[in-house]
Amino acid sequence: MLLEQLVEKAAQPPRYDWESYYRWLYGAIAGREVSDIRFWLCEKCFSVNILFLPAKYGKCRGCDLLYLP
């Protein structure tokens, strides 16, 4: 029963679209539309990081792990 509920929940679209929210938030702060942001989750410490393109790499703010887009 629990497994069936988890499978059904995984098939549903996510409740919140965090990427769109943060695009809107940074766009409101900057006073213009922001379209060149990439969010990534660090595989080592699981912190959410931001990469402003056209950067060649990103660095985790928690553990300094490098990210290559």
Side-chain angles (χ1 to χ4, degrees), residues 7-69:
V7 169
E8 288 176 10
K9 187 169 184 167
Q12 296 175 356
R15 188 171 176 187
Y16 301 107
D17 186 3
W18 291 108
E19 188 169 345
S20 295
Y21 169 73
Y22 281 113
R23 286 185 197 279
W24 168 80
L25 178 65
Y26 288 117
I29 292 171
R32 59 179 174 85
E33 185 176 342
V34 177
S35 62
D36 53 351
I37 295 176
R38 182 173 293 173
F39 298 94
W40 59 282
L41 181 66
C42 180
E43 296 175 0
K44 185 176 177 184
C45 68
F46 300 111
S47 64
V48 177
N49 298 286
I50 301 170
L51 178 67
F52 294 99
L53 296 175
K56 294 183 180 174
Y57 66 92
K59 196 174 196 183
C60 177
R61 60 188 169 108
C63 65
D64 294 334
L65 183 74
L66 292 179
Y67 169 76
L68 300 173

